[in-house]
Amino acid sequence: QGKEAEIFEDIPLKKAGALSKALAFGQNRLLSHETFGSYIVLQCIKTDYEFDLPLLNFDQEAPLQINPVCASCQLCVKACPNKVLNAGFIRSRCLRDIMNKTQNARTITLLGDCVLGCTICRQACPLNAKVKPVQAPQELIELLSFEKLLEFSKDTKTKLAQFIGTNMARRS
């Protein structure tokens, strides 16, 4: 109602999520929400509206608060084909990160039918089991066409990021 708002990209979104205490980290270092699991996209909106919420102090260290369910579950650890989660989180072995940097026969074989990077740990996660699938918008379906994915132009990547977030749409 008459308030200004804009997308604000100048803060570390994972840190903001962790500091908010509304989200917790899984073993895979993805943030999860009790209703939406780890299928979330973080976005910050800067506004002049005054919310009745505590301010976040970005000077403090964000706690690596592991979701209590995740601490004892281990399904994502067992499911990971690259054993990224066996000793904490080894980013350099994560197929999503590898896929963002390079593609080769081994990563493509390990990814199976995942088009935009590995989601195996997410698929194994019981926190995601209650997330109900929704029909994808037609524009997203068109962006995921075989031809668009092969070309993967900057325009396609930008439009795709609007649906799935920039981290999911990254690719070298």
Side-chain angles (χ1 to χ4, degrees), residues 141-170:
I141 292 169
E142 291 167 9
L143 287 169
L144 293 173
S145 72
F146 187 68
E147 294 79 22
K148 288 280 189 191
L149 289 173
L150 283 178
E151 116 193 356
F152 215 70
S153 68
K154 185 174 181 173
D155 183 55
T156 299
K157 186 173 160 179
T158 301
K159 288 178 180 175
L160 192 56
Q162 294 172 358
F163 287 102
I164 62 174
T166 53
N167 285 341
M168 298 282 282
R170 279 186 316 199

Side-chain angles (χ1 to χ4, degrees), residues 79-136:
C80 179
N82 243 17
K83 309 299 180 214
V84 171
L85 307 171
N86 287 11
F89 178 75
I90 308 165
R91 178 172 298 281
S92 63
R93 291 176 60 182
C94 180
L95 287 175
R96 176 171 300 282
D97 280 8
I98 291 169
M99 191 73 170
N100 287 338
K101 294 175 184 135
T102 183
Q103 290 184 22
N104 59 42
R106 181 173 182 275
T107 58
I108 291 170
T109 301
L110 287 170
L111 288 171
D113 63 357
C114 295
V115 177
L116 295 170
C118 184
T119 60
I120 294 169
C121 59
R122 284 181 165 184
Q123 293 168 0
C125 180
L127 295 174
N128 291 328
K130 60 185 174 185
V131 177
K132 295 190 177 24
V134 296
Q135 178 63 39

Side-chain angles (χ1 to χ4, degrees), residues 16-138:
L19 288 171
S20 76
K21 298 190 175 104
L23 305 171
F25 285 99
Q27 296 285 4
N28 55 9
R29 299 308 187 261
L30 294 175
L31 286 170
S32 64
H33 182 271
E34 63 183 51
T35 302
F36 304 110
S38 65
Y39 291 113
I40 57 176
V41 175
L42 300 177
Q43 188 70 62
C44 180
I45 298 174
K46 182 179 177 180
T47 180
D48 58 358
Y49 182 83
E50 291 192 28
F51 292 93
D52 186 23
L53 296 169
L55 294 176
L56 300 180
N57 179 359
F58 285 98
D59 292 331
Q60 75 184 58
E61 189 64 32
L64 183 58
Q65 178 183 338
I66 300 291
N67 186 316
V69 172
C70 299
S72 61
C73 171
Q74 303 297 306
L75 287 176
C76 63
V77 175
K78 293 173 188 164
C80 179
N82 243 17
K83 309 299 180 214
V84 171
L85 307 171
N86 287 11
F89 178 75
I90 308 165
R91 178 172 298 281
S92 63
R93 291 176 60 182
C94 180
L95 287 175
R96 176 171 300 282
D97 280 8
I98 291 169
M99 191 73 170
N100 287 338
K101 294 175 184 135
T102 183
Q103 290 184 22
N104 59 42
R106 181 173 182 275
T107 58
I108 291 170
T109 301
L110 287 170
L111 288 171
D113 63 357
C114 295
V115 177
L116 295 170
C118 184
T119 60
I120 294 169
C121 59
R122 284 181 165 184
Q123 293 168 0
C125 180
L127 295 174
N128 291 328
K130 60 185 174 185
V131 177
K132 295 190 177 24
V134 296
Q135 178 63 39
Q138 186 59 36

